[in-house]
Amino acid sequence: AKKIGVLTSGGDAPGMNAAVRAVCRAALARGMEVVGIKRGYNGLLNGEIIEMNARTVSNIIQRGGTCLYTARCPEFRNKEGVQKGADKCREIGLDGIVVIGGDGSFRGAADLSAMGIPCIGLPGTIDNDISCTEYTIGYDTAMNTAMEMIDKIRDTAQSHDRCSVVEVMGRNAGYIAINVGLAVGAEAVITPEEDYDLDAICAKMQKVMKSGKTHFLIVVAEGVGKTEEITKLIQEKTGVETRATILGHVQRGGSPTVRDRVIATQMGYHAVELLEKGIGNRVVGMRDNKIYDVDIQEALSMTKPFEDELYAILNDTAF
Ligand code: F6P
């Protein structure tokens, strides 16, 4: 019987547990053995391996975080580390690994595949910043959390006639920002992908204040790196009392949404189908709303368009 491992790597994301569960159960259903590797590639190198059965993954589909723990592993970035990892896989008798994480984790999966251990990458990150896929596990939950938080911030901004500047996560990408900004009715969304004109935003604010608007919401992607500065400038230029809120890690936790659970399960299932056939060095993703797989090197060389259409719609409906 084939024996496969599953690990989560990089930043955690809601829905990772659903993916781990699907990998485990789908493999067991095919008569394969499954082990969990704790704390990403670190656990492989340190031998933090747990036997998994159907019960190991009971009661986790609804939980945020990852039951396998996660970590970033600098040692896996050099050849010796990967070699050691491949040796460990042979020692344990692994015929393949499912790696749930982001681009950094996929690089390790490609290197390990090149050393004869078939690996399949599943996109797990709240940022949706993986080019080969329209969707990453955790994205929907993170956006819903951010939306709920900003709805609350709006209540108090409205009561005090204030402007709230809210920073959302996304590393260097503005996907969370533009979608959440649209969903909360923000007056402006500032992302690393699009140029912005703070003077123009402030001028519009002043104009609509004359016709009775009293509070404002500006969403800023963390990748812009200027949330405090923007907050200060808005207050100076408009005279509106302005507050900054950095949502931070609240966006990484919580029970995954339907979308995250379903897609994580589909992707986990697809990964096992590939490993069953002995296929490795692939990333599972979503294209045209369907689950597909692609060569890891090819996946890493792709680029992803920004949400230009949403950005245009937001700007035409904001004030
Ligand atoms: O990739 C997920 C993410 O939450 C990014 O949005 C953010 O830039 C980063 O991870 C934060 O990393 P850490 O949890 O290590 O501070």
Side-chain angles (χ1 to χ4, degrees):
K2 273 195 157 58
K3 184 172 178 180
I4 66 164
V6 54
L7 63 82
T8 51
S9 165
D12 64 350
M16 279 185 165
N17 280 326
V20 170
R21 172 183 177 276
V23 168
C24 180
R25 295 264 174 95
L28 293 171
R30 282 165 171 70
M32 299 157 103
E33 279 179 63
V34 192
V35 298
I37 301 164
K38 285 190 168 178
R39 299 185 172 83
Y41 294 113
N42 286 312
L44 183 61
L45 300 179
N46 308 332
E48 282 191 273
I49 311 291
I50 53 166
E51 298 294 326
M52 291 183 106
N53 59 45
R55 297 287 71 75
T56 322
V57 292
S58 287
N59 202 23
I60 64 167
I61 197 167
Q62 77 282 18
R63 296 212 180 128
T66 162
C67 67
L68 290 177
Y69 298 83
T70 185
R72 299 189 170 97
C73 181
E75 202 185 336
F76 224 71
R77 272 181 228 137
N78 57 56
K79 207 166 179 242
E80 297 76 55
V82 180
Q83 182 63 58
K84 193 174 156 197
D87 293 343
K88 283 280 181 187
C89 288
R90 294 209 173 83
E91 201 180 302
I92 308 162
L94 286 185
D95 299 302
I97 300 183
V98 179
V99 173
I100 309 167
D103 280 348
S105 319
F106 296 164
R107 240 161 257 133
D111 294 345
L112 208 49
S113 298
M115 290 195 181
I117 311 295
C119 292
I120 305 293
L122 296 194
T125 166
I126 63 164
D127 304 330
N128 202 30
D129 61 349
I130 299 179
S131 294
C132 68
T133 183
E134 288 159 7
Y135 192 81
T136 60
I137 297 164
Y139 183 44
D140 190 56
T141 306
M143 288 194 295
N144 276 287
T145 301
M147 180 187 75
E148 284 169 27
M149 298 298 123
I150 298 174
D151 285 347
K152 292 179 204 285
I153 291 170
R154 181 198 276 274
D155 289 345
T156 156
Q158 179 264 318
S159 306
H160 287 264
D161 297 317
R162 280 177 178 159
C163 173
S164 265
V165 175
V166 186
E167 180 184 301
V168 297
M169 276 186 167
R171 200 174 295 274
N172 302 312
Y175 299 105
I176 294 178
I178 186 63
N179 282 275
V180 168
L182 197 80
V184 299
E187 274 67 47
V189 175
I190 302 178
T191 67
E193 290 90 347
E194 305 276 350
D195 294 333
Y196 65 97
D197 180 347
L198 207 54
D199 286 332
I201 295 170
C202 291
K204 273 196 205 158
M205 285 173 65
Q206 283 173 307
K207 188 167 166 232
V208 294
M209 276 158 72
K210 294 203 181 86
S211 59
K213 188 162 176 63
T214 56
H215 71 280
F216 299 89
L217 266 177
I218 314 282
V219 172
V220 183
E222 69 166 326
V224 174
K226 288 186 180 163
T227 304
E228 298 290 348
E229 191 185 318
I230 289 168
T231 305
K232 219 173 124 238
L233 284 171
I234 290 175
Q235 176 157 314
E236 273 169 25
K237 286 174 198 278
T238 62
V240 179
E241 200 180 7
T242 304
R243 292 281 191 272
T245 306
I246 296 168
L247 289 183
H249 285 83
V250 68
Q251 296 161 98
R252 283 254 292 274
S255 180
T257 60
V258 171
R259 188 158 162 81
D260 274 325
R261 295 182 201 192
V262 171
I263 294 174
T265 302
Q266 288 178 292
M267 287 180 169
Y269 191 87
H270 191 86
V272 172
E273 285 183 325
L274 292 171
L275 286 181
E276 190 186 23
K277 294 182 206 140
I279 299 171
N281 202 42
R282 311 285 292 176
V283 176
V284 177
M286 180 180 272
R287 193 173 57 185
D288 299 328
N289 240 5
K290 287 201 175 59
I291 305 298
Y292 85 118
D293 56 89
V294 56
D295 176 83
I296 298 186
Q297 303 302 344
E298 203 182 321
L300 292 175
S301 70
M302 290 177 171
T303 51
K304 191 174 187 170
F306 189 58
E307 309 254 34
D308 296 334
E309 224 168 288
L310 282 187
Y311 195 77
I313 292 174
L314 182 122
N315 284 333
D316 280 350
T317 56
F319 281 94

